Amino acid sequence: MSVVSRRDKIRKDEGRRDKYSVLLPTYNERENLPLIVWLLVKYFGESGYNYEIIIIDDGSPDGTLEVAQQLRKIYGSDKILRPREKKLGLGTAYIHGMQHASGNFIIIMDADLSHHPKFIPEFIKKEGNFDIVSGTRYIYTIGEVPISFVDRVYGESKLGGNEIVSFLKGLLTLFATT
């Protein structure tokens, strides 16, 4: 689970209350989805934070989309459903969710219950001046080196689509396992 700040992009009115967009990519999560959404509503409700849940279904054949539509009726329209016609992958699901998020902070988590929502308030407290807060079962000290991507200066990537997806999968695996 990670919290990513979109402070510069979204917050134009400093008096505006922070909003947290939870991205839940799904593929064959029919059984887990009601529980994870209930837990998110429970912990956000207890904490008083403003939030939305964005369920990005990747064309699940098991009925996940129908369950998500039922949950939207139960919990309301701030639980946004962003279905996709076919399985396009986890990395693009996160990108799709970020494009539709209205919060100035994004929480990325799995719908398979491997990330428990009870830790979200701790993430939010840690957020402070950080742009990214990541959960780990290990304790590390991480230093950052600012870099620029030369290929982005000219508006084109020198990497192919498969290389970008592989890189994003590796990055997500790194965050999920460290």
Side-chain angles (χ1 to χ4, degrees), residues 149-156 158:
F149 290 94
V150 175
D151 59 336
R152 296 292 180 223
V153 173
Y154 301 105
E156 293 183 21
K158 292 181 177 65

Side-chain angles (χ1 to χ4, degrees), residues 89-152:
L90 183 60
T92 60
Y94 284 132
I95 291 168
H96 187 76
M98 287 179 194
Q99 290 170 340
H100 295 284
S102 64
N104 54 317
F105 293 95
I106 294 178
I107 297 172
I108 297 172
M109 59 187 305
D110 293 341
D112 66 0
L113 302 169
S114 61
H115 303 133
H116 200 291
K118 70 181 178 182
F119 297 109
I120 290 175
E122 292 178 49
F123 273 71
I124 292 171
K125 288 176 190 170
K126 289 274 187 187
E127 166 261 319
N129 292 323
F130 299 109
D131 290 323
I132 297 175
V133 178
S134 180
T136 178
R137 64 188 104 176
Y138 309 105
I139 299 174
Y140 291 110
T141 303
I142 299 174
E144 293 182 85
V145 176
I147 61 171
S148 62
F149 290 94
V150 175
D151 59 336
R152 296 292 180 223

Side-chain angles (χ1 to χ4, degrees), residues 30-166:
R30 179 177 55 85
E31 294 179 6
N32 295 330
L33 195 56
L35 181 56
I36 192 74
V37 169
W38 180 82
L39 287 167
L40 284 165
V41 170
K42 176 185 185 306
Y43 286 103
F44 270 106
E46 289 174 359
S47 67
Y49 293 117
N50 186 16
Y51 71 100
E52 67 182 346
I53 301 169
I54 300 176
I55 300 168
I56 308 113
D57 187 55
D58 229 3
S60 298
D62 74 339
T64 298
L65 178 61
E66 291 77 16
V67 170
Q69 290 168 336
Q70 291 173 357
L71 291 168
R72 185 174 184 186
K73 289 177 186 174
I74 293 167
Y75 291 109
S77 63
D78 58 336
K79 312 310 174 257
I80 301 170
L81 175 64
R82 298 292 177 192
R84 301 188 310 167
E85 292 181 16
K86 60 182 179 176
K87 187 169 172 42
L88 298 171
L90 183 60
T92 60
Y94 284 132
I95 291 168
H96 187 76
M98 287 179 194
Q99 290 170 340
H100 295 284
S102 64
N104 54 317
F105 293 95
I106 294 178
I107 297 172
I108 297 172
M109 59 187 305
D110 293 341
D112 66 0
L113 302 169
S114 61
H115 303 133
H116 200 291
K118 70 181 178 182
F119 297 109
I120 290 175
E122 292 178 49
F123 273 71
I124 292 171
K125 288 176 190 170
K126 289 274 187 187
E127 166 261 319
N129 292 323
F130 299 109
D131 290 323
I132 297 175
V133 178
S134 180
T136 178
R137 64 188 104 176
Y138 309 105
I139 299 174
Y140 291 110
T141 303
I142 299 174
E144 293 182 85
V145 176
I147 61 171
S148 62
F149 290 94
V150 175
D151 59 336
R152 296 292 180 223
V153 173
Y154 301 105
E156 293 183 21
S157 175
K158 292 181 177 65
L159 300 175
N162 288 339
E163 293 167 313
I164 292 170
V165 170
S166 294

